[in-house]
Amino acid sequence: MAAGRPYHHGDLQRALLAAAVDAIGESGPTALSLRDLARRAGVSHAAPTHHFGDKAGLLTVLATQGFHLLADDLARVRKETGSLLEIGVGYVRFAFQHRAHFEVMFRPELYRRDDPLLLAAKNRANDELQAGVATLAEPPGEGQDARRAGLAAWSIVHGFATLWLSGALPPDVGEDPASASRVIIGRLFHTS
């Protein structure tokens, strides 16, 4: 065993996920390699395969984690503010603060789409967004109208977050994604 390399991790899965977040932050999710993650975490090259099976398995767990983090953030903002606008700003803030998760979550070709834990996490995040839509002074009602309102809200905030992360927005939008999104999204979200 090389000096300075720990033989055993107390929580190897967490260490590997943290290494994945770092690696994705540096070069994106498609360049991710399990061998590189093992090196970063200081474990054998077989350790990631033992825990996740393959790259898709690891990215499924990372996406699941991301959807839970997003749901937690949206729920917290909704409880604190009761404002769809602020929930939208929270979504953008999440994308900026958890960029690696965000980049994996919305790339279903990278992970196992039918994983039950992933589906539950996605549903939880969607439920929180729908709960945000229900905060409108004139909520859209139920059924198809509520679903469409939720899709519209998601499209707006996801589009802004994606444009921000890709550097496609004009410089005069500013340097703070939360402030910029509050102004831009606020023009479309008429909340009480």
Side-chain angles (χ1 to χ4, degrees):
M1 197 81 197
R5 290 181 63 145
Y7 176 75
H8 184 278
H9 277 272
D11 190 348
L12 182 55
Q13 182 170 344
R14 184 175 300 184
L16 291 167
L17 289 170
V21 166
D22 290 344
I24 292 167
E26 292 170 13
S27 45
T30 57
L32 184 70
S33 116
L34 295 183
R35 187 172 289 274
D36 178 53
L37 292 185
R39 181 190 58 75
R40 288 171 184 259
V43 297
S44 77
H45 70 275
T49 302
H50 174 73
H51 278 276
F52 301 106
D54 57 12
K55 180 177 170 179
L58 179 132
L59 293 177
T60 301
V61 173
L62 192 69
T64 301
Q65 184 182 63
F67 282 113
H68 279 302
L69 290 169
L70 176 60
D72 291 346
D73 281 1
L74 297 179
R76 180 187 48 75
V77 172
R78 181 174 51 83
K79 287 175 185 162
E80 288 174 1
T81 69
S83 164
L84 182 58
L85 171 61
E86 292 305 318
I87 293 166
V89 172
Y91 186 100
V92 171
R93 187 179 297 114
F94 170 84
F96 183 72
Q97 292 175 344
H98 299 280
R99 183 174 185 156
H101 287 92
F102 190 79
E103 288 188 22
V104 172
M105 292 161 61
F106 301 103
R107 300 276 311 272
E109 75 278 9
L110 297 176
Y111 54 76
R112 295 187 181 102
R113 301 174 199 194
D114 60 349
D115 180 85
L117 296 176
L118 173 75
L119 293 172
K122 285 175 83 169
N123 287 336
R124 185 171 166 245
N126 183 60
D127 289 348
E128 285 301 330
L129 185 57
Q130 287 299 137
V133 171
T135 67
L136 291 171
E138 295 180 28
E142 295 182 20
Q144 192 69 350
D145 285 345
R147 185 175 155 330
R148 286 183 179 149
L151 284 172
W154 180 36
S155 297
I156 292 164
V157 298
H158 189 82
F160 185 91
T162 301
L163 289 168
W164 181 274
L165 291 175
S166 69
L169 291 170
D172 65 343
V173 169
E175 295 183 17
D176 176 45
S179 297
S181 67
R182 188 173 286 108
V183 172
I184 303 301
I185 297 167
R187 298 190 53 84
L188 299 172
F189 284 6
H190 300 290
T191 60
S192 59

